[in-house]
Amino acid sequence: MSIPTRREAIKGIALGSAGIAVSGYAGSAANANTRSEENAIPIQASRAFRGEHQPKALPFDPTKLKGLSEKLIRSHHENNYTGAVKALNVVEQRLDAMMKDKDLPAYIYGDLKREELVRTGSVVLHEYYFANLGGDGRAAGSVLDLIKQWFGSYEQWEAEFKRTANALGGGSGWTILAYNAHTSEVHNYWAWDHMHNAPMSRPLLVLDMYEHSYHMDYGSAAAKYVDAFMQNVKWEEVNRRAEESIKK
Ligand SMILES: [Fe+2]
């Protein structure tokens, strides 16, 4: 066995290093690809995308409301509200499926993220709406004090609430008496759609002004629907929300 020359020894070290480097690079590339796919494909199920929301039952007897028919209320609850819950579930599950497609353009994903916001707003506001119906329409409790404090009198508050609601007649949206946790103020907020909410506002009284909430009973006479709604407000629930919001 001959002793390698210094030149041969250096060449051998270089080749050896190159070999290690090549195999190392190949390994790194494989690992990089694997990591990339792992980043794009969530392996564990995410709670945010379960799509398991369940519709809440009507919290009152729909045959007992004044000026709002059972047919209207049931149609609203079963078609519009329950439909929104089902749609939200589909949207969440589709978002999950889309995240597994690493080549999906972000702008396509964004369209469905908008739907997530629309459906979430619809579900939440409808649940507040139905929960503040079924009462005798007579305001009482500490929420009445709050209304007087911020609007001067119940009558002045009601006039502004109704005018805000009537401004949405013939179109779509929500009128929301809310306590704003940031400003510590109480306002009647105008909302053109399910996504239109004053930041940090906690709903106290929610009125649905989408045409589906009154057209069956009143046609395009939105103001008559607003009057009927006021006769059925469950102020005990509004009061509970007010006390809870201020406590927080
Ligand atoms: Fe609705």
Side-chain angles (χ1 to χ4, degrees), residues 76-98:
H76 193 177
H77 183 269
E78 290 170 15
N79 295 310
N80 305 101
Y81 162 59
T82 304
V85 174
K86 289 177 180 173
L88 178 59
N89 288 339
V90 170
V91 167
E92 286 184 0
Q93 290 167 358
R94 291 287 175 172
L95 283 170
D96 190 36
M98 279 181 158

Side-chain angles (χ1 to χ4, degrees), residues 35 63 66 131 133 147 153 189 191 194 197 199 201 211 239 244:
R35 276 198 296 273
T63 66
K66 297 177 281 291
L133 275 174
I147 284 172
S153 68
Y189 288 119
H194 306 312
N197 290 292
S201 62
E211 274 200 327
N239 194 51
E244 191 177 272

